[in-house]
Amino acid sequence: DTAVSQTPKYLVTQMGNDKSIKCEQNLGHDTMYWYKQDSKKFLKIMFSYNNKELIINETVPNRFSPKSPDKAHLNLHINSLELGDSAVYFCASSPRLSRDRGPFGELFFGEGSRLTVL
Amino acid sequence: QKEVEQNSGPLSVPEGAIASLNCTYSDRVSQSFFWYRQYSGKSPELIMSIYSNGDKEDGRFTAQLNKASQYVSLLIRDSQPSDSATYLCAVNSNFGNEKLTFGTGTRLTIIP
């Protein structure tokens, strides 16, 4: 059984289009993320949700809108796609760890969604 | 200055030798440090975590942390061709705020 699954795996589209990527995790984790990995392999956080609540929103253009209908799902919708949006988008999840339970850091990543904007 | 810096490589190491990967970070209050391995076309996976100064060993992997020098490293003993991958250093710079900052990764190639 796949722990963190993303769809679609590949997405090729024209500039100006709107597209969505879906993510689901069956690990029972409270926290989910979207990361963007560019062509130079730099992995940068975009958003983080804990139990459907947005907790991290890095300086991402507002063309990107995450949505978490429940704690097992986190979707990413992108409006008016631009060439620079071409990248691999990774969804990830982690158990929420309080200070009492130790530090945070183990992320479980999905397989990634490779977005190509032409 | 980048928050987490790594040499991008590629780093080539003969099979059976020790591979040494290095990482420096800029935020002095960073608490937690991680090494992720990413095979080409795959997603990152956690291989080591370290939270206090010194060495931590797990099989062929040893993570080393020196907070005074803001330096963390990963040693891979008896390197195998299957170790060929990009290794990403990650740092939790805001304890209590679940945000990991990644370095750009070091591409490691083990030569048979």
Side-chain angles (χ1 to χ4, degrees):
Chain A
D1 279 347
T2 305
V4 182
S5 58
Q6 300 178 225
T7 53
K9 225 177 153 183
Y10 300 96
L11 201 49
V12 181
T13 189
Q14 300 285 333
M15 265 198 316
N17 284 349
D18 303 339
K19 289 294 175 188
S20 292
I21 307 172
K22 294 186 175 183
C23 179
E24 176 181 3
Q25 55 98 0
N26 62 7
L27 297 167
H29 289 165
D30 287 333
T31 312
M32 295 184 72
Y33 310 81
W34 280 111
Y35 276 83
K36 178 181 179 181
Q37 188 169 47
D38 61 25
S39 56
K40 294 184 179 175
K41 295 291 192 186
F42 183 49
L43 197 59
K44 186 166 169 54
I45 191 168
M46 300 173 69
F47 301 103
S48 173
Y49 271 74
N50 182 71
N51 203 7
K52 302 192 295 176
E53 181 187 347
L54 181 66
I55 57 172
I56 293 175
N57 183 352
E58 292 294 286
T59 49
V60 177
N62 57 15
R63 298 183 294 103
F64 290 80
S65 51
K67 270 212 171 75
S68 181
D70 56 59
K71 75 173 195 177
H73 295 84
L74 179 62
N75 304 324
L76 183 66
H77 187 75
I78 315 170
N79 289 327
S80 304
L81 279 157
E82 299 177 357
L83 293 177
D85 298 332
S86 295
V88 180
Y89 292 84
F90 284 102
C91 176
S93 73
S94 74
R96 177 145 180 141
L97 298 173
S98 66
R99 286 177 182 259
D100 294 337
R101 291 178 63 192
F104 150 83
E106 184 169 13
L107 300 183
F108 293 79
F109 285 88
E111 292 184 326
S113 297
R114 182 176 292 276
L115 171 65
T116 303
V117 182
L118 303 175
Chain B
Q1 183 190 5
K2 288 182 187 169
E3 294 180 62
V4 180
E5 293 207 52
Q6 298 178 250
N7 286 330
S8 60
L11 174 66
S12 295
V13 172
E15 184 175 356
I18 295 175
S20 177
L21 304 159
N22 305 316
C23 172
T24 57
Y25 58 95
S26 60
D27 189 346
R28 286 193 168 274
V29 300
S30 297
Q31 298 284 332
S32 316
F33 308 87
F34 307 89
W35 285 98
Y36 281 76
R37 178 177 62 200
Q38 186 175 22
Y39 292 114
S40 182
K42 300 294 185 183
S43 55
E45 58 174 332
L46 180 68
I47 54 170
M48 285 290 282
S49 58
I50 186 165
Y51 308 118
S52 50
N53 281 328
D55 295 0
K56 179 182 175 184
E57 190 173 315
D58 184 359
R60 295 186 297 111
F61 298 97
T62 299
Q64 299 175 316
L65 175 61
N66 183 328
K67 289 186 179 180
S69 301
Q70 294 174 240
Y71 177 90
V72 58
S73 65
L74 179 71
L75 301 177
I76 307 174
R77 287 183 300 282
D78 188 23
S79 297
Q80 303 296 310
S82 58
D83 296 325
S84 297
T86 296
Y87 289 80
L88 302 166
C89 174
V91 175
N92 182 3
S93 297
N94 291 296
F95 193 83
N97 177 9
E98 287 90 348
K99 174 184 164 184
L100 270 191
T101 301
F102 284 85
T104 50
T106 298
R107 189 154 58 93
L108 173 66
T109 300
I110 306 301
I111 304 165

